[in-house]
Amino acid sequence: MVDVFNPTNRIPSVGNIPTVTSGVTITKTTHELTYVDSIQNIGPTPQSKQTVDAWELSNGLVSAKTILKGGNLVSIKLKGNEYVWINSEGATYYGAKSGGNESPFPLTRGLILHGGIRLTAVTAEHGLYYDTPWDISFETDANSSSIILSITDDEATRISVNDPFTSASYSLPEDPRPLSKYPVTNALFRFKITLVNGESYVRLHGELVKSSADAIKAEIWLPQTYQITTESQIISSQVKRRCKDVWVRDVLFPNPNVDIIPLSDDPDRLLEPYQELLTEPNSTPFVDQRVLTKFPPQGYELDYPLKWESGSGGILYDYPYRDGNYHAVSFGDGTGRGVAAVGSSTINHFTKLWSWGDPKLFDREALLQQVAEGNFGASLASGRPYAEYYEPWDTAYNTGFFERHTFTNLINGWDTFIVPIESGLDIGKTQAELRQVVENVISSI
């Protein structure tokens, strides 16, 4: 039985809050995490609550609150309105396989998802330290203040996770030991959250700092969760997207057509990041992957994350890179609000899109029955939280999950700005109209 309040043995380092002269305050406060005891109890009401220490930045316009568990940015508020998804109905571990050392996630106890925005460390699927407390420190200058959440991927930190690791996709074909594909990196992973005076958005910086000149292979992502409804739309100028997972292909795109072709037929597969995949262990053959050459393909409502024709989720990737400098979503709640993740236009970004799909196609009881009958794959889908969310992942390094990047530089990092949008993303607007709203808001950034 997992101790959901304190699942790991790591003791984090907590820095002192400095004297602030910038006008961007740093305040120690609290945050409430909620839980249910099992997947069977997922519903509108949590069964237990945990109050944890939190640290909050505020510049009088926007606030950003962080906690140590998972190194999580759990709240972004503009004028009192929340802009990230919070699992207030109760989180629980899901995706674990009873009695074995397998899971879709790197920890065999599965994943627990409280919402927010995080930096992943080392691996795909939320990294190694999504329920481990991260260190916290602070910076301030004449115009801004920052919170830095960090963790070092060394042997001691891995031991402190207090759980066996997964093998399967996390292992090399010739070495079935858990995490053999992701050996200890001794790298420092840093997640910096900054507010600047007068700005109504949050600056994020993800960073991997190596401990030596030796090259390492790893993944680093910035997963974000946002509240959505069936009227929410993904807002992007992306032309092509990739479906790398066979299980997603079989559910969403079983039949190739003029807009959906094998990756082996697309010329962008010859670009360097994708040619590197030819030597990546466990990489899905190009002929089995799909490229959506026109997004959304004719006959599909893929701009609406809760209208994907799947009840067990789906994954797509911007391909070959992200087109434009942002990825946004409308909340679809009648307020016209939404959020945009804005990146640099001078570097290539990659985006992973995750949606649980159409809620009308989701049947938790049927999935739990499949789990009881030995269908391990259903253990992930059955853990769908009660409240709906959309989860885009941003990075400057990895083309997809389980597709490691070779880090040769000592310091590797990128910036993403989380921009709340207060109005204009109205239900029923076209993609062109929604993009115009987003681009007007972010034009001065």
Side-chain angles (χ1 to χ4, degrees):
M1 187 71 177
V2 179
D3 179 355
V4 294
F5 286 5
N6 299 291
T8 79
N9 298 323
R10 187 172 191 271
I11 300 175
S13 171
V14 178
N16 295 319
I17 296 176
T19 301
V20 173
T21 60
S22 65
V24 180
T25 60
I26 307 173
T27 306
K28 187 175 182 182
T29 180
T30 60
H31 180 73
E32 187 175 80
L33 299 173
T34 62
Y35 301 87
V36 292
D37 293 341
S38 67
I39 293 172
Q40 289 85 346
N41 294 316
I42 293 174
T45 305
Q47 294 181 299
S48 58
K49 299 178 180 180
Q50 177 188 21
T51 299
V52 299
D53 289 338
W55 290 262
E56 187 171 66
L57 299 171
S58 176
N59 65 3
L61 292 172
V62 64
S63 63
K65 183 195 286 189
T66 63
I67 63 172
L68 303 186
K69 182 177 281 190
N72 200 343
L73 171 57
V74 292
S75 174
I76 294 175
K77 289 184 177 180
L78 176 64
K79 300 178 182 177
N81 292 316
E82 184 60 68
Y83 281 84
V84 301
W85 176 76
I86 300 169
N87 191 352
S88 57
E89 293 79 16
T92 191
Y93 283 91
Y94 66 96
K97 182 178 182 182
S98 177
N101 68 332
E102 299 303 331
S103 170
F105 306 105
L107 310 187
T108 56
R109 58 176 167 250
L111 175 69
I112 190 165
L113 192 67
H114 291 288
I117 300 173
R118 298 183 44 255
L119 185 75
T120 71
V122 186
T123 74
E125 293 289 10
H126 295 269
L128 297 183
Y129 304 117
Y130 48 75
D131 60 1
T132 294
W134 290 40
D135 299 333
I136 189 168
S137 59
F138 311 92
E139 292 179 358
T140 187
D141 59 27
N143 200 42
S144 66
S145 294
S146 301
I147 292 173
I148 300 98
L149 299 161
S150 63
I151 198 163
T152 299
D153 173 48
D154 57 21
E155 192 63 42
T157 306
R158 292 199 179 191
I159 291 171
S160 75
V161 167
N162 194 32
D163 193 51
F165 293 116
T166 300
S167 52
S169 298
Y170 300 87
S171 299
L172 298 169
E174 69 274 13
D175 185 353
R177 292 176 302 163
L179 285 191
S180 64
K181 187 173 178 177
Y182 297 95
V184 172
T185 64
N186 291 308
L188 174 69
F189 291 80
R190 298 176 78 244
F191 182 28
K192 185 175 183 178
I193 302 106
T194 300
L195 293 187
V196 176
N197 262 326
E199 294 182 347
S200 56
Y201 55 91
V202 182
R203 296 171 176 256
L204 305 181
H205 183 76
E207 191 172 74
L208 181 157
V209 182
K210 295 193 306 175
S211 61
S212 72
D214 296 338
I216 59 173
K217 288 191 173 187
E219 297 184 44
I220 182 171
W221 296 85
L222 190 74
Q224 309 142 53
T225 55
Y226 302 115
Q227 61 265 34
I228 56 171
T229 72
T230 54
E231 298 300 328
S232 295
Q233 290 195 57
I234 299 164
I235 307 164
S236 165
S237 57
Q238 194 69 30
V239 175
K240 296 198 292 188
R241 289 198 161 105
R242 177 171 67 122
C243 175
K244 72 174 285 287
D245 297 283
V246 173
W247 69 270
V248 178
R249 180 202 71 187
D250 290 345
V251 171
L252 292 181
F253 315 111
N255 301 308
N257 62 36
V258 66
D259 294 333
I260 305 172
I261 64 173
L263 179 60
S264 55
D265 293 342
D266 187 90
D268 285 334
R269 76 188 188 284
L270 301 175
L271 294 172
E272 182 179 353
Y274 297 92
Q275 284 300 289
E276 189 175 348
L277 299 184
L278 296 175
T279 60
E280 179 71 349
N282 301 334
S283 184
T284 306
F286 284 1
V287 70
D288 292 331
Q289 300 187 44
R290 295 288 179 262
V291 173
L292 315 184
T293 59
K294 172 189 172 184
F295 194 88
Q298 186 173 1
Y300 292 83
E301 291 192 280
L302 295 177
D303 284 330
Y304 293 81
L306 291 184
K307 294 182 181 180
W308 292 14
E309 295 180 11
S310 168
S312 55
I315 299 169
L316 297 172
Y317 295 90
D318 286 350
Y319 171 82
Y321 309 105
R322 185 174 68 193
D323 295 330
N325 68 330
Y326 69 88
H327 186 94
V329 65
S330 62
F331 290 164
D333 58 0
T335 65
R337 295 191 305 127
V339 68
V342 182
S344 169
S345 59
T346 61
I347 62 172
N348 291 323
H349 280 251
F350 303 94
T351 311
K352 176 214 168 193
L353 293 67
W354 165 262
S355 170
W356 283 100
D358 191 336
K360 296 193 299 295
L361 301 177
F362 175 67
D363 186 335
R364 196 185 312 276
E365 293 304 317
L367 289 165
L368 287 171
Q369 181 60 39
Q370 292 180 37
V371 173
E373 294 170 356
N375 181 354
F376 173 45
S379 64
L380 188 157
S382 63
R384 183 176 187 154
Y386 181 78
E388 303 292 356
Y389 66 93
Y390 171 60
E391 188 178 65
W393 296 55
D394 178 72
T395 185
Y397 298 101
N398 301 99
T399 51
F401 273 9
F402 304 103
E403 296 174 351
R404 301 170 299 173
H405 178 78
T406 301
F407 292 92
T408 56
N409 295 333
L410 184 65
I411 300 176
N412 311 266
W414 81 103
D415 296 310
T416 295
F417 300 159
I418 305 300
V419 183
I421 298 175
E422 296 183 85
S423 63
L425 302 180
D426 301 311
I427 293 172
K429 280 190 172 180
T430 66
Q431 273 288 305
E433 291 170 332
L434 294 170
R435 288 198 297 268
Q436 190 60 60
V437 172
V438 173
E439 287 161 16
N440 287 343
V441 171
I442 70 174
S443 61
S444 61
I445 295 176

